[in-house]
Amino acid sequence: MSAESLQFVAGGLTTGAIYALVALGFSIIFNASGVINFAQGEFVMIGGMSAATLFASGMALPVAIACAVGAAGIVGLMLAKFAVGRARRADVVTLIIITIGASMLLRGLAQIVWDKRIHALPSLSGHRPVELFGATILPQSLWVLAVTIAVVAMLSWFFGQTRLGKAMLATSYNRLAAELVGIDVRIVLLASFGLAAVLGAIAGVLIAPITFVSYDSGVMLGLKGFAAAILGGLGSFPGAVVGGLTLGLLESLAAGYLSSAYKDVIAFVVMLAVLLVMPGGILGARTSARV
Amino acid sequence: MLEVTRLSSRYGRIPALAGVDLSVGRGELVALVGANGAGKTTLLRVLSGVQPAADGIVRFENSDITGASPRQRVRMGIVQVPEGRQVFGPMTVDDNLRLGAFMRPQRETNAGLDRVYALFPALTNKRREPAGTLSGGQQQMLAIGRALMGKPKLLLLDEPSMGLAPRLVAEIFATIRALKDDAATILLVDQNANAALSIADRAYVLEVGRITLAGRGDELASHPRVRQAYLGL
């Protein structure tokens, strides 16, 4: 592999990991409620903006990051409780529209709470690039990959081993049966929004040192994450990771070898192609399993 | 143990239950027969709390549970085996059963698993397989086993024999009878009215949301109207 293509791959994996985290948030909420949460990108923005401003106000970087992730988690819980939970008897399309409204509200609030400027967050361990087989890689890229791997490992432990995780999975497979064994599906809904918000915020603080952050930087990341979730198969956790990484790589290679002008087009072309050719996505099987 | 008084329920504006009175005593096996759409499943859904009651009272062990959540009812000991089995398809048999014990203290889980696998030996060597890969009969056993993991005081069975081969139907009914002999309290809904009435202590006939006949199982099995309408005789 040439140094050049290695460079593109490294860049693609970095953004791909971010898309994967956002896509996981989409899938977690979709599984718990059938809702596609279009406010998912705002969690990314809230994470990045909170961390940037808290750090700028003099807080230590790790503390600022922890607070930012926590704050986004609380916003996620509030969104579930006050917006989605209130309209629980409404149908899924209504709930999706509510999330679109919530995303606009959150972006508007972000302009008031913060401003319209672009903010920077320092990288976790300096800006001096690392040389790897001829490619130059930012240390932050390695952080992105390492944290994403850790997050995916923790999620698979959570859903595979813990009581709440299994209850959330069970609710996604069969809501009625979950209620009949005593699982409180409202708690599952809350937990899914909280978890998705935390994942989004983690993505936000990881990417902020590379691409900067502003009140509207969640829009594009949210849409890309959604495209990644569709590509991998909405509702599938391995699919979200595969979809995210694939999308990141495709974008990076297209930008490198074709033209960087087409970078953002790739995601949406891929999403359209997936919806036309294999609507279930790479690893999704939910629709075909419903008899 | 369970007393239902003037219970009504509706889906939107369409009434499904119109003033049902019914009771189940401790240790009794009570069958509920009726045609499709008579409201049998709705009644069980209201008893489990997943469908709201529009009017009437449900009392369980002398306390009013009409407004209780599904979760509270499971904790009190009302556990349902829903129509169509409703297993957690992609999860293993073991996980399905463990989820059945969701409201129970965790130290009871292993003893519960041993009991269910002893009752349904066919499930034992499928423990690690996804529930969705089981046959219909095995899924029904799993659904019953999952409910038993919740240590029910009152077991609600909705169409346990639906869609099963005759040999399996006999097996499921033998299991239900064994549970009854083990002093379980059961409310059974089944399209197989003949089999249901033959093992029931008492039975009710439900027609368009109302109880139209009630009596001992063998009495109803020989009642001319029941014979004509539900036993095909």
Side-chain angles (χ1 to χ4, degrees):
Chain A
M1 199 184 271
S2 73
E4 189 189 48
S5 52
L6 189 67
Q7 186 75 53
F8 296 148
V9 167
L13 288 178
T14 306
T15 40
I18 297 295
Y19 296 161
L21 289 174
V22 181
L24 281 167
F26 273 106
S27 282
I28 287 168
I29 289 179
F30 178 76
N31 279 346
S33 59
V35 169
I36 295 160
N37 170 33
F38 282 107
Q40 186 64 27
E42 308 321 318
F43 297 147
V44 182
M45 176 272 290
I46 290 169
M49 290 294 276
S50 311
T53 43
L54 288 175
F55 177 76
S57 73
M59 209 179 254
L61 187 56
V63 183
I65 288 175
C67 289
V69 171
I74 290 168
V75 172
L77 292 177
M78 283 167 54
L79 178 61
K81 181 136 184 77
F82 297 114
V84 177
R86 297 237 147 215
R88 226 159 50 88
R89 290 186 190 281
D91 59 15
V92 167
V93 176
T94 311
L95 294 177
I96 291 173
I97 293 169
I98 287 176
T99 69
I100 295 175
S103 80
M104 293 176 184
L105 176 72
L106 289 173
R107 241 175 291 144
L109 286 176
Q111 291 179 54
I112 297 170
V113 174
W114 294 295
D115 49 41
K116 291 187 172 188
R117 287 200 307 264
I118 291 171
H119 294 253
L121 187 67
S123 159
L124 279 162
S125 49
H127 288 280
R128 183 193 296 271
V130 188
E131 288 276 335
L132 205 69
F133 305 112
T136 47
I137 295 167
L138 288 174
Q140 186 69 18
S141 289
L142 299 176
W143 275 107
V144 170
L145 291 174
V147 171
T148 304
I149 290 168
V151 164
V152 168
M154 278 166 63
L155 280 180
S156 66
W157 170 79
F158 175 71
F159 284 110
Q161 305 298 328
T162 68
R163 226 166 108 82
L164 178 61
K166 285 189 179 182
M168 288 175 73
L169 269 189
T171 306
S172 75
Y173 296 138
N174 195 319
R175 192 186 175 86
L176 171 67
E179 283 192 284
L180 289 177
V181 299
I183 294 169
D184 190 335
V185 293
R186 283 170 312 175
I187 300 286
V188 168
L189 184 78
L190 275 179
S192 71
F193 271 83
L195 190 54
V198 164
L199 290 178
I202 290 174
V205 296
L206 285 173
I207 197 72
I210 301 177
T211 62
F212 302 110
V213 55
S214 62
Y215 79 97
D216 62 351
S217 62
V219 177
M220 204 46 141
L221 280 169
L223 288 174
K224 298 280 184 67
F226 177 57
I230 295 283
L231 173 61
L234 195 56
S236 158
F237 299 142
V241 176
V242 171
L245 293 177
T246 310
L247 191 62
L249 282 172
L250 283 176
E251 266 190 18
S252 172
L253 294 174
Y257 288 114
L258 300 174
S259 157
S260 55
Y262 291 124
K263 183 173 157 287
D264 287 338
V265 178
I266 295 293
F268 305 112
V269 169
V270 165
M271 182 161 70
L272 281 178
V274 168
L275 288 174
L276 284 174
V277 180
M278 44 173 190
I282 300 173
L283 294 174
R286 284 174 59 89
T287 42
S288 61
R290 277 214 187 116
V291 185
Chain B
M1 181 179 239
L2 177 78
E3 288 150 62
V4 175
T5 318
R6 295 187 334 274
L7 186 68
S8 298
S9 182
R10 52 176 76 101
Y11 294 103
R13 295 166 68 180
I14 304 160
L17 297 174
V20 169
D21 292 297
L22 172 148
S23 70
V24 181
R26 191 177 302 276
E28 262 192 322
L29 197 174
V30 173
L32 189 64
V33 297
N36 279 332
K40 307 186 297 290
T41 294
T42 305
L43 178 56
L44 293 197
R45 285 173 56 86
V46 174
L47 293 181
S48 277
V50 292
Q51 158 85 17
D55 196 14
I57 299 166
V58 179
R59 297 176 71 80
F60 183 68
E61 293 190 314
N62 298 319
S63 53
D64 185 343
I65 60 159
T66 317
S69 70
R71 182 181 169 81
Q72 289 167 327
R73 296 179 201 224
V74 173
R75 185 179 283 135
M76 294 172 101
I78 303 179
V79 186
Q80 180 178 161
V81 180
E83 182 179 0
R85 336 201 200 292
Q86 314 292 344
V87 297
F88 301 115
M91 303 179 99
T92 64
V93 168
D94 235 41
D95 275 348
N96 269 268
L97 292 176
R98 286 176 191 279
L99 281 163
F102 193 75
M103 299 304 291
R104 306 297 309 173
Q106 289 196 326
R107 59 191 146 76
E108 286 179 8
T109 308
N110 286 331
L113 285 174
D114 291 344
R115 205 162 41 236
V116 170
Y117 286 125
L119 187 64
F120 300 114
L123 295 180
T124 313
N125 52 9
K126 306 266 184 188
R127 293 182 78 136
R128 308 257 168 264
E129 285 175 41
T133 63
L134 302 182
S135 70
Q138 289 166 342
Q139 288 193 15
Q140 188 62 59
M141 293 173 193
L142 177 58
I144 295 175
R146 182 178 64 191
L148 293 178
M149 290 295 289
K151 284 248 179 112
K153 290 180 185 163
L154 169 65
L155 184 63
L156 308 174
L157 288 168
D158 196 357
E159 303 283 5
S161 77
M162 190 170 67
L164 297 184
R167 188 178 54 80
L168 287 168
V169 172
E171 203 172 314
I172 292 292
F173 273 99
T175 306
I176 296 169
R177 186 189 282 273
L179 291 174
K180 170 188 152 52
D181 293 343
D182 206 24
T185 307
I186 300 172
L187 179 57
L188 167 68
V189 165
D190 208 285
Q191 301 213 316
N192 192 334
N194 203 5
L197 291 176
S198 71
I199 61 169
D201 298 312
R202 287 189 306 114
Y204 294 88
V205 174
L206 190 64
E207 284 173 346
V208 283
R210 293 170 202 281
I211 300 288
T212 51
L213 276 174
R216 291 212 321 266
D218 51 351
E219 272 173 13
L220 283 190
S222 57
H223 191 286
R225 265 182 63 198
V226 175
R227 285 168 68 88
Q228 191 194 4
Y230 305 111
L231 302 178
L233 299 171

